[in-house]
Amino acid sequence: MKQQCYRMKIAGLWRELPLCPLNEHLQIGAFVIFGDPELTTACAEELLARAPEYDYMISAEAKGIPLVHEMARLAGNQRYFLARKSPKLYMTGVFESTVHSITTAKEQTLYLDKADAELMKGKRILIVDDVISTGESLKSIEELVLKAGGIICGKMTILAEGDAQNREDLIYLEKLPLFDGEGNVL
């Protein structure tokens, strides 16, 4: 059986998003920018054009990495931060926050290096991600930024899915609908 897809235009480019079931009544469109530099660059350009003034950007590991990297490159090779899924040996200590994302089967913890946190203190931080749906990952990153003493100046994403489309504090490029068990837009 051929996998159902949802065709949509994102940053001026057409892409096919495979539908993935969360349960028998609900499916989501899988949006993955890994391996798609054309789309990554187009989205980064559009988001930067809409971005508020900021000092640094942060994203969560892993799917936000190509986007935040490209945005930083286009903005003059600026430094950016990552909320990691596990502490790394090079970290000088960590702040942590727990998250349960719609696309993750279990609870996860995100970690921020204390050295990065020192750089964030008192600075305007722009949170960037590829897709925001329930907002759980976003909330976890917000907690890390606030623990570090950063000032959240904006929240951006390529696609807003489900209830995220109604958030007034979110800047996004396109709406990604949810789908019923048959693949129809809800």
Side-chain angles (χ1 to χ4, degrees), residues 41 57 68-78:
T41 299
M57 291 181 285
V68 74
H69 179 86
E70 185 64 4
M71 288 175 72
R73 188 189 70 77
L74 291 171
N77 290 317
Q78 297 175 333

Short mmCIF file of all heavy atoms in Angstrom, two decimals, residues 41 57 68-78:
data_model
loop_
_atom_site.label_atom_id
_atom_site.label_comp_id
_atom_site.label_asym_id
_atom_site.label_seq_id
_atom_site.Cartn_x
_atom_site.Cartn_y
_atom_site.Cartn_z
N THR A 41 17.27 26.56 3.06
CA THR A 41 17.69 27.93 2.77
C THR A 41 16.50 28.83 2.51
O THR A 41 16.44 29.96 3.02
CB THR A 41 18.67 27.96 1.58
OG1 THR A 41 19.82 27.18 1.92
CG2 THR A 41 19.09 29.38 1.24
N MET A 57 20.17 32.93 18.62
CA MET A 57 19.07 32.00 18.36
C MET A 57 19.36 30.69 19.08
O MET A 57 20.51 30.35 19.34
CB MET A 57 18.95 31.71 16.86
CG MET A 57 18.47 32.89 16.04
SD MET A 57 18.33 32.51 14.29
CE MET A 57 20.04 32.48 13.79
N VAL A 68 18.34 26.44 12.10
CA VAL A 68 19.00 27.47 12.89
C VAL A 68 20.41 27.72 12.35
O VAL A 68 20.89 28.85 12.33
CB VAL A 68 18.98 27.15 14.40
CG1 VAL A 68 19.96 26.04 14.77
CG2 VAL A 68 19.24 28.39 15.23
N HIS A 69 21.06 26.68 11.88
CA HIS A 69 22.40 26.84 11.30
C HIS A 69 22.34 27.72 10.05
O HIS A 69 23.16 28.64 9.90
CB HIS A 69 23.01 25.48 10.96
CG HIS A 69 24.36 25.58 10.35
ND1 HIS A 69 25.50 25.66 11.11
CD2 HIS A 69 24.75 25.65 9.06
CE1 HIS A 69 26.55 25.78 10.30
NE2 HIS A 69 26.12 25.77 9.06
N GLU A 70 21.40 27.44 9.18
CA GLU A 70 21.29 28.23 7.94
C GLU A 70 20.87 29.66 8.23
O GLU A 70 21.37 30.60 7.61
CB GLU A 70 20.31 27.56 6.97
CG GLU A 70 20.21 28.25 5.62
CD GLU A 70 21.50 28.24 4.80
OE1 GLU A 70 22.51 27.63 5.20
OE2 GLU A 70 21.50 28.86 3.72
N MET A 71 19.98 29.85 9.20
CA MET A 71 19.60 31.22 9.57
C MET A 71 20.81 31.98 10.10
O MET A 71 21.03 33.14 9.74
CB MET A 71 18.47 31.19 10.61
CG MET A 71 17.13 30.77 10.03
SD MET A 71 15.83 30.61 11.28
CE MET A 71 15.53 32.35 11.67
N ALA A 72 21.61 31.34 10.94
CA ALA A 72 22.80 31.98 11.49
C ALA A 72 23.82 32.29 10.39
O ALA A 72 24.44 33.35 10.38
CB ALA A 72 23.42 31.09 12.56
N ARG A 73 23.96 31.37 9.45
CA ARG A 73 24.90 31.59 8.34
C ARG A 73 24.45 32.78 7.50
O ARG A 73 25.25 33.67 7.18
CB ARG A 73 24.99 30.33 7.47
CG ARG A 73 26.08 30.39 6.39
CD ARG A 73 25.99 29.22 5.43
NE ARG A 73 24.82 29.31 4.56
CZ ARG A 73 24.73 30.12 3.50
NH1 ARG A 73 25.71 30.92 3.17
NH2 ARG A 73 23.64 30.12 2.77
N LEU A 74 23.18 32.81 7.14
CA LEU A 74 22.64 33.90 6.32
C LEU A 74 22.70 35.25 7.04
O LEU A 74 22.79 36.29 6.39
CB LEU A 74 21.20 33.59 5.90
CG LEU A 74 21.03 32.45 4.90
CD1 LEU A 74 19.55 32.11 4.74
CD2 LEU A 74 21.66 32.79 3.56
N ALA A 75 22.65 35.22 8.35
CA ALA A 75 22.68 36.46 9.14
C ALA A 75 24.11 36.90 9.46
O ALA A 75 24.32 37.76 10.31
CB ALA A 75 21.87 36.27 10.42
N GLY A 76 25.09 36.31 8.79
CA GLY A 76 26.47 36.74 9.00
C GLY A 76 27.29 35.82 9.86
O GLY A 76 28.22 36.25 10.54
N ASN A 77 26.97 34.53 9.83
CA ASN A 77 27.70 33.52 10.61
C ASN A 77 27.66 33.80 12.10
O ASN A 77 28.67 33.78 12.80
CB ASN A 77 29.14 33.38 10.11
CG ASN A 77 29.20 32.74 8.75
OD1 ASN A 77 28.49 31.76 8.49
ND2 ASN A 77 30.00 33.30 7.86
N GLN A 78 26.47 34.06 12.58
CA GLN A 78 26.25 34.32 14.00
C GLN A 78 26.31 33.03 14.82
O GLN A 78 25.98 31.96 14.33
CB GLN A 78 24.88 34.96 14.22
CG GLN A 78 24.72 36.29 13.57
CD GLN A 78 23.31 36.83 13.72
OE1 GLN A 78 22.36 36.07 13.85
NE2 GLN A 78 23.19 38.14 13.69
#
